[in-house]
């Protein structure tokens, strides 16, 4: 077996995916038509923007096309199908932003139960387990809306909703703005994460102090991105010593940020940080889990031992109960042993052809 196939077949856990950024273009167009929502551009050019803030705008506009319970079930199901078919993903934890959907009349119980319906149908078909992370977009939400989201979660408890996350523009809502909400989330038994030290548009927007604030004031036990932590060696050393998992994405909304980001991921790995790989917004960025892994392995020169380490790190970083982690550990170890035995030792080729992004309009 060649290296490209090996990377594709490695079993994976995906912990950094926003459902709003994982809807197929064709599905968005159909849902917009069904629900009488006007999209800003035709499907072929929908996923285009000038900068990070333009990307967030398209993300939010697209979300307005997803309205009723069956829409949520469809996008969740298709998302898992994509992770299964082009990622060999066995478990995922998915961000959803309730406040993206309520302006068009959706209510939290329908959002969450629709998503769960799609996830359960997909799990039965593809064998991929999934949990949900309720998320606040800091560019458009106030702290009072984070508290409102916690009320919704408490009023409609579902065991699949295991945590809360913070996405959107980091500079618009730095970590300390969310202390009260994240403390309340902790008291409600929810796990906590946040996008931090991200290169939204520039690295400057996510200073390394945000890492300390997320750990010390927000009690996050996992974090998303983290690239600008490297600007502070002491903070980087602390994160490595604490073993905090960072869910990282090799494919940014800003094409010019992708190469530099991939090299930062390499440096963070070499600095001993606990990294796991995700897609962020796979359809919007025209990527897939396997495309992300191939791209990063090509950019870093990582070897099969690194693939094993990253594959297993995803299980440890997940918020699954220990019993389910144990099952995945055994399954992943056996699969990795078999893949390594079948790998051609002379083949480490990951050329540009295998890194081609996915088409906007499949088929
Ligand atoms: N929402 C979706 N993707 C995001 C990202 N990469 N950063 C912040 N917010 C997001
Ligand atoms: Zn993200």
């Amino acid at each position: 077996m060649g290296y490209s196939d090996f990377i594709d077949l490695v079993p994976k856990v995906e912990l950094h995916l926003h459902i709003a950024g994982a809807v197929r273009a064709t599905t968005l167009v159909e849902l917009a038509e069904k629900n009488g929502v006007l999209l800003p551009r035709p499907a072929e050019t929908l996923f285009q923007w000038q900068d990070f803030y333009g990307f967030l705008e398209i993300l939010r506009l697209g979300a307005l096309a997803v309205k009723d319970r069956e829409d949520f079930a469809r996008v969740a199901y298709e998302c898992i199908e994509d992770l299964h078919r082009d990622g060999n993903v066995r478990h995922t934890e998915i961000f959803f932003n309730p406040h993206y959907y309520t302006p068009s009349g959706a209510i939290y119980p329908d959002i969450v139960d629709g998503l769960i319906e799609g996830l359960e149908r997909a799990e039965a078909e593809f064998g991929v387990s999934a949990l949900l992370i309720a998320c606040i977009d800091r560019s458009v939400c106030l702290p009072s809306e984070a508290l409102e989201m916690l009320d919704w979660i408490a009023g409609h408890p579902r065991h699949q909703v295991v945590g809360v996350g913070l996405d959107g523009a980091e500079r618009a809502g730095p970590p300390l703005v969310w202390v009260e909400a994240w403390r309340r989330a902790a008291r409600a038994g929810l796990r906590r994460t946040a996008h931090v030290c991200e290169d939204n548009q520039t690295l400057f927007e996510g200073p390394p102090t945000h890492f300390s604030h997320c750990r010390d004031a927000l009690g996050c036990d996992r974090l998303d991105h983290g690239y600008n932590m490297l600007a502070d060696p002491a903070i980087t050393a602390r994160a490595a010593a604490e073993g905090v998992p960072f869910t990282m994405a090799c494919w940014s909304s800003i094409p010019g940020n992708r190469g530099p980001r991939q090299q930062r991921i390499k440096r963070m790995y070499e600095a001993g940080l606990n990294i796991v790989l995700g897609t962020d917004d796979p359809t919007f960025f025209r990527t897939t889990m396997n495309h992300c892994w191939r791209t990063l392995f090509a950019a870093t020169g990582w070897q099969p031992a690194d693939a094993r380490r990253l594959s297993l790190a995803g299980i440890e970083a997940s918020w699954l109960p220990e019993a389910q982690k144990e099952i995945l550990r055994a399954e992943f170890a056996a699969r990795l042993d078999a893949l390594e035995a079948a790998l051609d030792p002379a083949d480490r080729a990951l050329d540009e052809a295998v890194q081609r992004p996915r088409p906007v309009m499949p088929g």
Side-chain angles (χ1 to χ4, degrees), residues 93-154:
E93 293 170 12
I94 295 178
F95 295 113
F96 71 107
N97 294 64
H99 286 94
Y100 281 0
Y101 305 107
T102 48
S104 50
I107 54 169
Y108 180 81
D110 284 345
I111 298 168
V112 85
D113 287 344
L115 291 172
I116 289 170
E117 187 184 313
L119 296 176
E120 286 182 340
R121 201 152 38 86
E123 178 167 11
E125 199 159 329
F126 307 118
V128 181
S129 56
L131 296 172
L132 291 168
I133 305 170
C135 209
I136 286 290
D137 179 339
R138 307 177 266 203
S139 339
V140 289
C141 286
L142 296 166
S144 59
E145 289 171 300
L147 296 170
E148 177 182 52
M149 182 177 84
L150 292 170
D151 285 341
W152 290 340
I153 297 171

Side-chain angles (χ1 to χ4, degrees), residues 53 137-141 168-174 177-178 200 205 210:
Y53 303 97
D137 179 339
R138 307 177 266 203
S139 339
V140 289
C141 286
E170 198 168 336
R171 71 176 183 199
V177 168
W178 312 98
N200 284 154
E205 292 157 77
H210 283 186

Side-chain angles (χ1 to χ4, degrees), residues 16 18 195 225 280:
H16 191 149
H18 304 261
H195 284 44
H225 297 297
D280 217 353

